[in-house]
Amino acid sequence: MKEQWPGACGLVLEEPLIFEKGAKGRIGYSLPRLDVDEADPGKIWPAKLIRHDWQGFPEMSEVEVVRHFTHLAQWNYGVDSGFYPLGSCTMKYNPKVNEDLARLPGFSGAHPYQPEEITQGALRLMYDLQNFLCQIGGMDQVTLQPSAGAQGELTGMLMIRAYLTDQGNPRKKVLVPDTAHGTNPASSSLCGYQVIQVKSNERGILSPQAIEEKMDEDVAALMITNPNTLGLFEEHICQIAEMVHQKGGQIYCDGANLNALMGLSKVGDTGVDVLHFNLHKTFSTPHGGGGPGAGPVGVKDHLARYLPVPIIIKDREGFRFDYDRPQSIGKVRSFYGNFGILVRAYAYILSMGPAGLKRASLVALLNANYLRAKLKDFYFLPYDFPCMHECVFSDRLQSQYGVTALDIAKRLMDYGFHPPTIYFPLVVHGALMIEPTESEAKETLDQFIAAMVQIAQEAQTDPGLLKNAPHKTKVSRLDEVLANRKPRLRWKPEKKG
């Protein structure tokens, strides 16, 4: 049984800081003899720039340096290492060919100040990507400018505010479900709106009745995530959108979970007015939080005049930036966002095609529901309904033995799996959010299921094993509060004497 789990055993090498390695006089390089006269640095550079003290600088051989950084690289865990069921972000497979395409000299060497006449290829790529996203999301126009999903939210809400202001009243409130992403209320507040929380019903979704109770002429918008953070489709979205529109409000859709809908449902057809795309979560580009990322925003026609400048258009002269948009909310990003990310997303969409994108969503749904069905006898499932791309359990069954979601997540590391997101969404106490994505094979999912079942059994028979996990990692349970608030990120030589 043990052998079926990845990472259950292996060669884990110790690695001190590089400053603690090597020996005096050891070198890792050899330079050719000078063929010019040796210069005195003191005669070239100001004296204050000349370093005389090399205290603590490591002196190492070449092989020591190579091994040091190779060991560090091997400690890193990512989607290329193994299963990464991190629910809040789609850590899915990123085709390596997309990385190669983004590094083509014509793309990677392009300068943002190059004239439009010699950047027609890049402009066409962005123009086509805008149209692809419009088709996938069911929107009328798209800006590629925002550099992350959260900035896309801010951009979308600024456009809604500008639109309502032109209607004579920007309004005061924004409705946000209790299953929303945490950035939604933050984006609304940044735009000057009061956030009103709307509770989901017993099925974990919004009910028309709940919206009716909160909706009035002071509500600027409803910010909804669909599928929501419980992984459930908001099945009343069309009726809810109609109710909000009747009162003059707008529907903003957080598109972070679009990975579950491609080719299956067009968000714009459900009454949504604004939709942001997290390219890293749906179209396999690197994650935006660590940057660089991209969070394009799509809008319906009545909001298009507020899109950030410039917009890429096509006319008889070719492709060009259009700055002549007097009602635009202005620029939200330097130049035109992170172009390299846009190249990756463009390549992904082209290579997959409509049928491939739809299949990706279908497999993501299948994988999530497979995990849901296999684990619900071992972990409490607060909303026992077919899910979309992710399923959310809780630690309720294990808590009677003193075991928490954190303990379960830590123990998963011993079985060679990256932990899922825990304690989110907040509407589920002790949440374990598992998002397998479409990337994983059944064998991988079965290994993960076996590990989770084993951990559930350990919680009953030996809870201390979980409370002190992980046991097979380089360091065991850390004081996470101390590690976050007082991180030691810089080496300093010890003071002598």
Side-chain angles (χ1 to χ4, degrees):
M1 192 68 176
K2 180 179 177 181
E3 288 73 17
Q4 72 174 290
W5 295 319
C9 58
L11 191 61
V12 180
L13 301 174
E14 189 56 71
E15 187 64 30
L17 296 177
I18 194 168
F19 299 99
E20 299 167 349
K21 301 186 70 174
K24 187 173 179 58
R26 192 174 298 170
I27 60 174
Y29 62 91
S30 59
L31 299 176
R33 296 183 61 182
L34 283 175
D35 58 0
V36 297
D37 294 334
E38 186 171 354
D40 180 359
K43 295 181 180 179
I44 302 174
W45 304 104
K48 64 179 182 180
L49 299 180
I50 305 299
R51 176 179 290 172
H52 300 285
D53 183 6
W54 291 84
Q55 183 185 3
F57 197 84
E59 297 176 68
M60 304 170 66
S61 68
E62 179 182 346
V63 69
E64 287 177 308
V65 174
V66 170
R67 285 176 179 170
H68 174 76
F69 288 105
T70 301
H71 291 167
L72 295 186
Q74 290 171 338
W75 289 358
N76 188 37
Y77 191 93
V79 291
D80 291 344
S81 308
F83 186 34
Y84 206 124
L86 191 62
S88 65
C89 294
T90 311
M91 296 299 184
K92 55 198 254 183
Y93 171 62
N94 298 334
K96 300 301 175 280
V97 66
N98 298 343
E99 300 297 315
D100 291 339
L101 295 174
R103 287 168 173 76
L104 289 174
F107 291 144
S108 61
H111 192 282
Y113 281 133
Q114 280 182 223
E116 294 170 354
E117 303 86 71
I118 59 173
T119 54
Q120 285 294 296
L123 289 172
R124 176 179 176 177
L125 183 151
M126 291 189 284
Y127 180 83
D128 286 348
L129 181 57
Q130 290 177 174
N131 291 334
F132 290 161
L133 295 178
C134 280
Q135 294 174 38
I136 293 169
M139 308 307 288
D140 294 322
Q141 290 199 36
V142 163
T143 173
L144 304 176
Q145 215 176 110
S147 57
Q151 195 187 19
E153 290 178 25
L154 178 64
T155 303
M157 292 307 296
L158 285 172
M159 286 189 281
I160 288 176
R161 187 176 184 89
Y163 167 75
L164 293 173
T165 300
D166 281 354
Q167 301 298 307
N169 181 7
R171 304 194 174 202
K172 300 174 182 176
K173 300 181 290 187
V174 170
L175 305 183
V176 179
D178 58 2
T179 54
H181 287 106
T183 47
N184 292 176
S187 299
S188 300
S189 296
L190 283 171
C191 292
Y193 287 114
Q194 177 189 359
V195 175
I196 306 296
Q197 188 182 79
V198 185
K199 289 189 176 180
S200 50
N201 64 16
E202 69 282 358
R203 289 178 54 85
I205 59 176
L206 280 183
S207 69
Q209 292 76 20
I211 297 300
E212 187 176 24
E213 291 173 5
K214 303 284 186 181
M215 190 65 207
D216 58 33
E217 279 74 14
D218 277 338
V219 172
L222 165 68
M223 288 190 86
I224 191 169
T225 303
N226 198 17
N228 64 27
T229 56
L230 291 167
L232 302 175
F233 187 80
E234 294 286 354
E235 57 191 53
H236 303 298
I237 179 62
C238 294
Q239 183 180 353
I240 287 172
E242 187 176 347
M243 294 169 61
V244 172
H245 287 153
Q246 285 178 350
K247 298 278 187 180
Q250 299 288 291
I251 300 290
Y252 182 102
C253 184
D254 181 324
N257 295 337
L258 190 67
N259 195 53
L261 298 178
M262 294 183 296
L264 303 177
S265 173
K266 287 191 175 183
V267 175
D269 292 348
T270 63
V272 166
D273 303 291
V274 185
L275 166 70
H276 86 254
F277 304 81
N278 280 16
L279 296 189
H280 63 278
K281 300 185 77 167
T282 308
F283 303 110
S284 84
T285 67
H287 188 269
V297 178
V299 297
K300 287 300 181 69
D301 274 334
H302 66 284
L303 293 167
R305 59 184 181 274
Y306 304 103
L307 286 167
V309 287
I311 293 295
I312 300 171
I313 62 172
K314 180 184 179 184
D315 57 22
R316 287 183 298 180
E317 305 299 322
F319 300 92
R320 66 180 178 84
F321 291 118
D322 178 15
Y323 287 88
D324 186 18
R325 306 179 71 86
Q327 291 179 275
S328 166
I329 61 169
K331 289 181 70 68
V332 297
R333 180 71 167 81
S334 59
F335 301 112
Y336 206 72
N338 293 314
F339 178 65
I341 297 299
L342 305 181
V343 175
R344 292 171 171 88
Y346 177 80
Y348 180 78
I349 292 172
L350 269 186
S351 63
M352 295 286 281
L357 293 176
K358 181 178 181 178
R359 179 169 172 78
S361 288
L362 288 173
V363 176
L365 268 61
L366 178 65
N367 284 356
N369 280 285
Y370 183 66
L371 289 179
R372 179 185 63 82
K374 289 289 186 179
L375 291 176
K376 70 176 185 178
D377 290 338
F378 302 92
Y379 293 88
F380 182 68
L381 186 63
Y383 299 97
D384 190 5
F385 307 105
C387 62
M388 298 296 282
H389 63 303
E390 61 194 10
C391 50
V392 180
F393 297 94
S394 86
D395 61 8
R396 181 185 293 187
L397 300 181
Q398 288 70 39
S399 64
Q400 60 184 308
Y401 309 108
V403 171
T404 66
L406 178 66
D407 301 326
I408 296 166
K410 295 293 185 184
R411 182 60 176 154
L412 264 173
M413 296 183 197
D414 286 334
Y415 290 98
F417 294 104
H418 192 286
T421 292
I422 56 175
Y423 301 119
F424 184 82
L426 300 179
V427 71
V428 174
H429 181 75
L432 288 153
M433 176 195 278
I434 304 172
E435 182 176 358
T437 82
E438 69 276 14
S439 309
E440 303 303 331
K442 181 176 180 296
E443 292 79 6
T444 303
L445 299 183
D446 286 338
Q447 289 175 342
F448 179 76
I449 290 166
M452 288 289 286
V453 170
Q454 180 73 14
I455 291 170
Q457 293 169 351
E458 291 171 352
Q460 298 180 46
T461 58
D462 190 5
L465 186 65
L466 276 65
K467 302 297 293 183
N468 296 310
H471 302 277
K472 297 178 179 178
T473 53
K474 293 194 68 64
V475 294
S476 185
R477 189 72 65 98
L478 294 172
D479 184 333
E480 297 190 357
V481 175
L482 187 64
N484 275 283
R485 296 186 177 181
K486 295 183 178 180
R488 293 176 60 185
L489 304 176
R490 179 187 173 200
W491 177 86
K492 293 180 180 179
E494 294 182 2
K495 294 182 179 179
K496 296 182 179 179

